[in-house]
Amino acid sequence: MKKKIKSSDVYLRFLHLAEAIRGLPSLPPLDPLEERILALVARSGEQEERLCVRDMMAKEQLGAPATIHTRLKSMRTKGWIMLSDTEDARRKQIELTQEAVRYFERLSRCMLQAAKDSV
């Protein structure tokens, strides 16, 4: 008799695989707020939406603007994000670095592997 797979098993398997790639030495670890910021940057890039530093600092759900600014500086130093010029020299667009894109690609493979393992 085949064991019934719960949907939570797939997610838990994904979390286990994702935790393993977070331990890889490619980029320094992020704190929870930086992970939320990274996800916002990734989603806006995927949707081809503009996301500048000022836009990010206006997101009240992330905390005080000074806190967000500090985290953005930290993430740049760690190599997760970069700032690029826009048509307005006073605004900088927040984008993922190539290494951050590879991180999301590895997470995607983890998700696919977790789903595949449950079949």
Side-chain angles (χ1 to χ4, degrees):
M1 181 178 217
K2 196 172 185 180
K3 180 183 173 190
K4 183 178 178 185
I5 304 285
K6 298 183 291 191
S7 58
S8 62
D9 290 345
V10 175
Y11 183 68
L12 294 173
R13 200 170 295 119
F14 163 71
L15 289 178
H16 178 70
L17 292 168
E19 189 63 33
I21 68 162
R22 284 190 181 106
L24 296 176
S26 57
L27 285 173
L30 298 172
D31 68 32
L33 178 56
E34 290 171 340
E35 285 189 23
R36 288 180 60 199
I37 291 170
L38 188 69
L40 285 169
V41 173
R43 280 195 303 268
S44 73
E46 184 68 27
Q47 297 169 357
E48 297 181 7
E49 294 176 348
R50 181 191 82 160
L51 183 64
C52 67
V53 173
R54 183 176 288 176
D55 296 333
M56 186 64 80
M57 290 173 59
K59 295 189 180 296
E60 293 178 4
Q61 72 268 25
L62 297 177
T67 301
I68 298 167
H69 190 268
T70 301
R71 290 308 199 290
L72 291 173
K73 280 180 66 175
S74 170
M75 293 171 73
R76 280 184 67 202
T77 301
K78 292 177 181 178
W80 288 96
I81 61 170
M82 62 185 171
L83 301 180
S84 59
D85 292 328
T86 63
E87 63 279 348
D88 183 348
R90 297 170 294 173
R91 292 185 180 261
K92 298 292 183 186
Q93 181 78 17
I94 305 170
E95 298 177 352
L96 297 176
T97 62
Q98 280 304 115
E99 191 60 38
V101 170
R102 283 192 286 277
Y103 168 75
F104 281 108
E105 289 170 351
R106 287 191 297 262
L107 278 179
S108 295
R109 286 193 298 272
C110 288
M111 189 174 293
L112 292 171
Q113 184 65 42
K116 178 182 166 192
D117 290 349
S118 69
V119 180

